[in-house]
Amino acid sequence: MGELDGRVAVVTGSSSGIGEATARRLAALGANVVVNSATSVEAGEEVAASLPTESVYVQADISDEAQGQRLIDATVARFGHLDVLVNNAGWTTVVPHHDLDGLTDEILRRTFEVNVFGTWWLTRAAMPHLRASDHGNVVTITSIAGIRPTGSSVAYAMSKAALNHLTVLLAKSCGPVRVNAVAPGLVDTPWTTDWTTLHEAVAAINPVKRSATPDDCAEAVLALVRNRYITGQVLVVDGGTTVVT
């Protein structure tokens, strides 16, 4: 018997990186997982097929409200209920913070469409089902960029700050559904593979002497899913980077 046997989890952006690692950890504990991505269909299908539980892949771009609703509807149609929502899908592009003109309206809009509006729409669509569950909870992947003046762009940092505050607001308003966030520092994912200089800089200053891995972040998600008395918290997973900067 797995600890999460019978529970159903949606993990957005789970064809790779933090989302994939989280999907695998949830399934290893017995949860049925809905794997999702906006575009990486083949990779998402492969992840779902490789999980040890009854798991499926559903393509949906959460920045489109209708597609997000379809993701939730497809989950409930397949499994009959929903217990866990992990809001991992996100979008960014690198724009130096001093380059105000480089942060175009298009970049700003797209960043908020995915990171903030998409997360809001999906969580709102899922909430009635989470409220009907004895184990309903939401975990959103944010960033230390929402806490400190850092991150891949000003828009990205703004969006993650919004998600951190949304976490607290929803926790206050939606109980007994628990709502928490995991705020990683720099994570070694396919997206950051070429950021060698930044990985080296983080390793040089933080107490743990390395960047985070997707598994580090997935473990934090699992801790929040498993503890039934934590809500409204933003759990920083950064190897101590924010302690020394």
Side-chain angles (χ1 to χ4, degrees), residues 29 35 38 56 62 102 123 157 161 172 187-188 193 225 240-241:
L29 291 177
V35 177
V56 297
I62 66 162
T123 304
K172 179 181 178 181
V187 185
D188 189 3
T193 297
V225 168
T241 300

Side-chain angles (χ1 to χ4, degrees), residues 1 3 12 16 49 52 64 74 80-81 99 102 104 132 134 154 160 178 188 197 204 214 218-219 222 237 245:
M1 294 289 291
E3 181 180 348
T12 63
S16 66
D64 181 315
H81 61 104
D99 187 3
T104 64
D134 292 333
V154 168
K160 295 300 185 176
R178 296 183 297 101
D188 189 3
T197 301
E219 280 296 316
L222 261 293
V237 181
T245 58

